[in-house]
Amino acid sequence: MRRAGVDSSKPLGQPQRARGSDEKEVTMEQNESKMKRIFGFELSDFRSWHRFVCLLHRPTDPASLGVFRLLFGLLMTIDIPQERGLSSLDHRYFDDLVVCRFPLFNFLKPLPLDWMYVVFVVMWLGAVGIMLGCFYRLSCLMFSITYWYNFFLDKTSWNNHSYLYGLIGFQLTFMDANRYWSVDGLRNPKKRNAQVPLWNYTLLRTQIFIVYFIAGIKKLDADWVEGYSMNQLAGHWLFDPFKLLLSEELVNLLVVHGGGLVLDLTAGYLLFFNATRPFAIIFVSYFHCMNSQLFNIGMFSYTMLATSPLFCYPDWPRPIIRRFPAFLKHVSPLTESPGRSASCMYPSDTQGGEGIGQRSGSTRAPHTLRQQLGAAFVVLYIAEQFFLPYSHFITQGYNNWTNGLYGYSWDMMVHSRSHQHVKITYKDGVTGEIGYLNPGVWTQSRRWKDHADMLKQYSGCLAQELRRYNIVDPEIYFDIWVSINDRFQQRLFDPRVDVVRADWSPFRKTSWLMPLLVNLSPWRLKFEEIEKTLDNQTDVVFIADFPGLHLENFVSEDLGNTSIQVLQGELAVEIVAENKNFSLKEGEKMQLPAGDYHHVYTTSEQPSCYMYIYVNTTMVQFEEKYTRFVELQEKIKNGTETEDISPELQTVLDGTEENINITDPTLAAFVQRQRKQMEYARRRNSTMLERFTRFAKRKHFIFRRSFLMTGYALRNLVFGRPPVEQLVEEFEYASMKFAENTDHESQSKTEDHVEL
């Protein structure tokens, strides 16, 4: 068995050597220790700095690294118009747009719109340069600098995989990934098919190991182990094969949560060893292919698929390329063994490239300052990557119910949130006038609701905008109710604190953050029991609140049957319109009037727990009418309908006319639902060709709009902006799309409430 993937001693398909050379190599393999055969290195390689530097600069085949460079660059060229937002850049950074932004550092500001297009052009050209290996080092700088600028500019778009892309781009800047299958290799023979230091692979492999392993460590959280983090995911059609053997509850617990935990904890190790690598590649490939269908995560799944071959022997592409047809030989990369490189270290007693199989203890030439700095960079970078996910004791201001700046902790899918109630209150600091703002006003994101740092930025922006409406010294109060992993809905921040003047520091705990009531987590089992007792027309919301606080709520007239019941603690319920107060103890309940406000006060010394049970009577009535319309429609089609019906209803039900003006709102809702159901059924039953056509049309629109709007922006910078009428025409032309592109595909994707 060959040694694990960290070694590159004997590339696959290497030409036959002389007999004496073969005998020498066999003797060396027999003398190798068991550790080196398994891991590719010996403990003696770590006993001195010199030996360690020699290990990290061991000559290694550049083929696998070159293929990964090409794939990563290709995926980024696709990602930039999509998830990075080039296709919608004008919507985010329109010059006259009044919007609150959330940069990491408040001094960071977006450039004017046309110059933001230039930033993205530089980023995209950098990705193309990485893909082609053309002016490689410059391309890496172009991509990395603009990528991190765009990344730091908007915290609301942060997630783990976007952070990973930036890290890989940063790493590639220091690597020799243009030594194989690159334009630079054609331009410079010294770079063509030249060996690379082992640390180029070590760094990338360790980064991917960290992504898997730390994600697994984070999934040891009790919520994940007990199956609460992603408990809605088992209903997806991708898990139907597992339901042939298991119930949906067991699929959720054992497959979604248990399988995800085991895979993340073990994937990095299994990819490392020869014996387990084939099985690991199969399982992680299946895992990432499923994720590509389950979540809107852009190129992340495909990027992780591209990283798996990095754990194989570095020369794995060469035997595959040798099997290419003859007409592809001119565009295929080289298949012969790589040559020497000034970046690597060779045994001093070896000539040419034969020395990469020598024992670790061989005498080696003195290493250069560049090689020492490279080794130091590897050590510091890896240490920093292991430290950052647990550095939350430093950046305490970013700790909310979950720790740290969202994005670098690798706590992927561990926390899901739902928001039941968000209220923004402003108060004039001089007159005392009180008003309310729509949640999310002057923003393009909803993530500010979960993070104290964003809430602080948002409050400052709101105060600035309110001053334009003659609100003097405005005070801003937020009342945000959140449920995390199916717990009670509870307040995330203290609603009595003026966030504009509240103290916040990245290095201190947020004093106005309310604690998560983890001691109430066992109630989730009771929630399931209660929900099973309710019929399909009845809904329930579970609330927990703190002593001394109250909830102001309004019961819509649609909710004609709404009651409140105490689960724990004591409440005082005030009906505002009637000016009446009612006291409730544990187990007691009362009916709430529809169309009126009420206040719920927690009067017990401990947090109170209660639930709203309600029936949407308007929806119930609609469902009854909908069922009747469906029955009438069937009778009309069968010719068995005998009762008199209105001409409008007759026209709608027999489907003789499509574009008619429907005056009855219930009938209009019936038609709208039927059209959605028909469209959903059509899409579900469409052929592979039809699905591919829809996919191609969507991607065509994204890339077409990206390039058109970029061209207009560059034209504006060079020749000046044309008249407004021309700009409007150009915008409409760029935004023109096929009708199918407007269709929603939320049925096939799980969105939003999952923080990536």
Side-chain angles (χ1 to χ4, degrees):
M1 182 181 294
R2 299 183 64 186
R3 289 192 296 274
V6 295
D7 200 1
S8 59
S9 299
K10 296 172 290 183
L12 292 173
Q14 189 169 346
Q16 286 287 336
R17 296 194 181 105
R19 181 176 179 181
S21 176
D22 290 340
E23 292 176 351
K24 181 179 178 181
E25 186 170 306
V26 171
T27 301
M28 289 190 317
E29 288 194 355
Q30 291 175 346
N31 293 332
E32 285 179 346
S33 67
K34 183 177 180 180
M35 180 173 182
K36 186 165 185 180
R37 287 197 302 272
I38 296 175
F39 295 99
F41 56 84
E42 297 177 348
L43 287 177
S44 60
D45 291 321
F46 297 90
R47 289 177 180 169
S48 70
W49 177 250
H50 175 82
R51 286 177 177 269
F52 182 66
V53 174
C54 292
L55 172 66
L56 290 181
H57 289 83
R58 177 190 297 167
T60 311
D61 195 303
S64 182
L65 183 63
V67 171
F68 172 74
R69 182 215 73 233
L70 184 147
L71 293 175
F72 177 75
L74 174 63
L75 292 171
M76 291 303 99
T77 60
I78 299 172
D79 176 83
I80 290 170
Q82 298 184 95
E83 193 172 4
R84 292 318 110 206
L86 177 57
S87 63
S88 58
L89 206 59
D90 53 317
H91 298 296
R92 295 170 57 194
Y93 297 114
F94 183 65
D95 291 337
D96 296 329
L97 186 66
V98 178
V99 65
C100 299
R101 304 196 183 277
F102 304 92
L104 178 61
F105 308 107
N106 288 329
F107 64 82
L108 277 177
K109 305 293 181 184
L111 300 174
L113 177 61
D114 290 339
W115 284 105
M116 286 300 297
Y117 275 103
V118 173
V119 170
F120 273 73
V121 167
V122 172
M123 189 194 310
W124 190 81
L125 290 176
V128 172
I130 292 174
M131 177 181 66
L132 299 177
C134 182
F135 299 104
Y136 169 72
R137 208 74 67 185
L138 176 61
S139 296
C140 287
L141 288 172
M142 291 168 58
F143 173 79
S144 296
I145 293 174
T146 52
Y147 185 94
W148 283 107
Y149 166 71
N150 184 60
F151 185 80
F152 289 143
L153 202 57
D154 185 14
K155 290 183 292 188
T156 64
S157 62
W158 283 19
N159 49 45
N160 289 280
H161 62 266
S162 296
Y163 172 61
L164 178 64
Y165 299 160
L167 293 179
I168 293 176
F170 173 74
Q171 293 175 41
L172 288 176
T173 305
F174 300 93
M175 295 179 182
D176 295 332
N178 61 337
R179 300 301 194 257
Y180 188 76
W181 210 1
S182 68
V183 174
D184 288 346
L186 297 176
R187 294 170 50 245
N188 187 347
K190 292 183 179 180
K191 295 181 179 180
R192 189 181 190 189
N193 200 29
Q195 292 167 331
V196 298
L198 177 61
W199 70 261
N200 285 198
Y201 286 94
T202 302
L203 205 61
L204 285 170
R205 289 167 177 165
T206 307
Q207 182 69 73
I208 302 308
F209 172 84
I210 289 173
V211 172
Y212 282 120
F213 185 68
I214 300 298
I217 294 295
K218 299 287 185 174
K219 285 181 174 63
L220 291 174
D221 180 88
D223 285 357
W224 183 276
V225 173
E226 295 173 9
Y228 289 107
S229 296
M230 304 287 292
N231 62 354
Q232 302 297 323
L233 207 59
H236 197 278
W237 63 266
L238 280 172
F239 295 96
D240 287 349
F242 298 101
K243 297 174 190 174
L244 298 175
L245 302 174
L246 302 170
S247 65
E248 186 167 319
E249 290 78 10
L250 287 177
V251 170
N252 170 63
L253 183 63
L254 300 180
V255 179
V256 176
H257 291 88
L261 172 63
V262 172
L263 187 140
D264 279 338
L265 282 175
T266 61
Y269 295 103
L270 298 178
L271 285 168
F272 185 83
F273 296 104
N274 284 350
T276 56
R277 189 180 304 119
F279 303 101
I281 289 179
I282 291 173
F283 285 121
V284 300
S285 298
Y286 179 67
F287 174 73
H288 292 303
C289 288
M290 288 186 68
N291 284 345
S292 70
Q293 299 302 307
L294 290 169
F295 309 109
N296 287 326
I297 50 178
M299 295 294 107
F300 178 54
S301 297
Y302 310 106
T303 303
M304 293 303 291
L305 288 172
T307 64
S308 295
L310 286 171
F311 291 85
C312 300
Y313 276 87
D315 60 354
W316 68 264
R318 297 185 188 274
I320 297 175
I321 295 168
R322 288 194 188 97
R323 295 181 174 87
F324 281 7
F327 68 90
L328 292 177
K329 296 294 184 182
H330 297 291
V331 295
S332 301
L334 298 176
T335 57
E336 59 262 24
S337 299
R340 293 172 64 94
S341 170
S343 301
C344 302
M345 296 185 66
Y346 299 87
S348 58
D349 59 347
T350 304
Q351 300 297 325
E354 299 284 339
I356 53 177
Q358 296 289 340
R359 290 176 61 86
S360 298
S362 299
T363 304
R364 299 179 184 272
H367 38 66
T368 64
L369 176 61
R370 178 183 176 183
Q371 291 167 339
Q372 293 195 60
L373 291 176
F377 168 71
V378 171
V379 173
L380 292 175
Y381 180 85
I382 292 176
E384 172 260 349
Q385 282 298 300
F386 274 107
F387 171 74
L388 270 182
Y390 300 98
S391 63
H392 313 311
F393 65 93
I394 298 176
T395 55
Q396 297 185 61
Y398 295 103
N399 298 343
N400 298 288
W401 287 350
T402 58
N403 286 333
L405 273 167
Y406 23 87
Y408 66 78
S409 295
W410 311 119
D411 49 353
M412 295 174 281
M413 313 297 178
V414 177
H415 306 109
S416 60
R417 293 178 172 84
S418 63
H419 298 81
Q420 183 70 25
H421 178 78
V422 178
K423 184 174 73 172
I424 305 176
T425 306
Y426 70 84
K427 180 180 179 181
D428 190 305
V430 175
T431 65
E433 176 189 356
I434 294 177
Y436 303 94
L437 298 173
N438 289 329
V441 63
W442 293 310
T443 67
Q444 298 175 322
S445 173
R446 293 174 291 180
R447 290 188 70 176
W448 55 268
K449 293 182 288 189
D450 297 315
H451 304 283
D453 57 309
M454 289 192 194
L455 208 65
K456 181 65 177 177
Q457 290 175 308
Y458 188 36
S459 66
C461 177
L462 291 178
Q464 180 178 343
E465 295 301 324
L466 286 173
R467 291 187 183 98
R468 300 181 183 180
Y469 293 86
N470 299 321
I471 306 298
V472 183
D473 294 333
E475 302 172 8
I476 309 291
Y477 302 89
F478 294 91
D479 195 10
I480 301 173
W481 293 74
V482 186
S483 169
I484 185 167
N485 292 345
D486 286 347
R487 289 182 174 85
F488 280 102
Q489 289 279 341
Q490 66 158 94
R491 286 183 165 97
L492 179 54
F493 303 105
D494 193 331
R496 300 165 294 189
V497 174
D498 172 19
V499 181
V500 177
R501 293 166 179 79
D503 179 58
W504 182 85
S505 168
F507 307 110
R508 293 195 302 271
K509 291 183 179 179
T510 303
S511 59
W512 35 279
L513 173 72
M514 305 296 284
L516 177 63
L517 298 173
V518 292
N519 60 308
L520 300 178
S521 298
W523 273 94
R524 289 180 291 193
L525 295 174
K526 186 67 174 178
F527 295 168
E528 296 174 5
E529 296 176 6
I530 294 174
E531 289 170 345
K532 289 178 180 178
T533 63
L534 304 177
D535 56 41
N536 293 332
Q537 298 176 345
T538 306
D539 289 314
V540 61
V541 177
F542 299 99
I543 306 290
D545 203 4
F546 296 91
L549 297 179
H550 74 278
L551 169 64
E552 180 182 356
N553 208 352
F554 178 81
V555 178
S556 171
E557 294 181 354
D558 293 330
L559 308 181
N561 185 13
T562 301
S563 62
I564 184 172
Q565 180 174 343
V566 182
L567 301 174
Q568 178 178 298
E570 298 179 1
L571 300 179
V573 180
E574 176 188 3
I575 308 300
V576 176
E578 301 175 6
N579 197 23
K580 293 182 179 179
N581 294 292
F582 302 87
S583 296
L584 298 177
K585 296 182 179 181
E586 184 173 330
E588 297 179 345
K589 62 186 298 186
M590 66 172 288
Q591 200 77 12
L592 296 173
D596 286 332
Y597 280 95
H598 65 273
H599 298 162
V600 182
Y601 296 85
T602 296
T603 56
S604 55
E605 295 182 358
Q606 300 298 323
S608 63
C609 305
Y610 53 96
M611 62 180 177
Y612 284 99
I613 302 176
Y614 60 94
V615 177
N616 190 329
T617 53
T618 302
M619 182 57 67
V620 171
Q621 294 171 3
F622 170 74
E623 292 295 342
E624 293 173 352
K625 291 184 178 180
Y626 180 85
T627 302
R628 176 176 173 271
F629 288 154
V630 171
E631 293 173 351
L632 284 174
Q633 193 175 46
E634 288 296 323
K635 291 180 179 180
I636 291 174
K637 289 181 179 179
N638 299 332
T640 58
E641 177 54 41
T642 57
E643 66 177 278
D644 294 331
I645 56 177
S646 66
E648 181 183 50
L649 181 58
Q650 176 77 32
T651 303
V652 170
L653 295 182
D654 63 18
T656 54
E657 296 184 26
E658 292 186 1
N659 298 321
I660 60 173
N661 184 24
I662 303 175
T663 57
D664 185 352
T666 305
L667 192 57
F670 166 78
V671 172
Q672 184 180 20
R673 177 185 284 191
Q674 283 219 320
R675 287 174 179 173
K676 287 183 177 180
Q677 290 176 343
M678 291 173 61
E679 176 62 21
Y680 177 72
R682 184 184 70 83
R683 295 170 70 87
R684 289 282 291 181
N685 299 325
S686 57
T687 64
M688 291 298 297
L689 178 60
E690 291 172 336
R691 295 186 183 194
F692 177 78
T693 301
R694 287 199 303 267
F695 172 81
K697 286 180 178 180
R698 289 195 303 271
K699 299 307 174 184
H700 172 261
F701 168 75
I702 290 173
F703 287 97
R704 174 181 175 274
R705 192 176 195 280
S706 298
F707 286 109
L708 283 175
M709 295 300 292
T710 300
Y712 298 151
L714 298 179
R715 185 273 321 271
N716 295 343
L717 290 173
V718 176
F719 302 106
R721 289 194 175 184
V724 175
E725 294 78 9
Q726 181 178 338
L727 290 174
V728 172
E729 291 179 0
E730 292 172 347
F731 173 82
E732 292 176 348
Y733 177 71
S735 302
M736 193 169 53
K737 54 184 172 181
F738 298 96
E740 294 240 11
N741 285 349
T742 61
D743 294 338
H744 244 304
E745 291 196 301
S746 58
Q747 297 91 343
S748 62
K749 299 286 184 180
T750 301
E751 301 182 32
D752 274 330
H753 293 314
V754 179
E755 178 175 282
L756 306 181

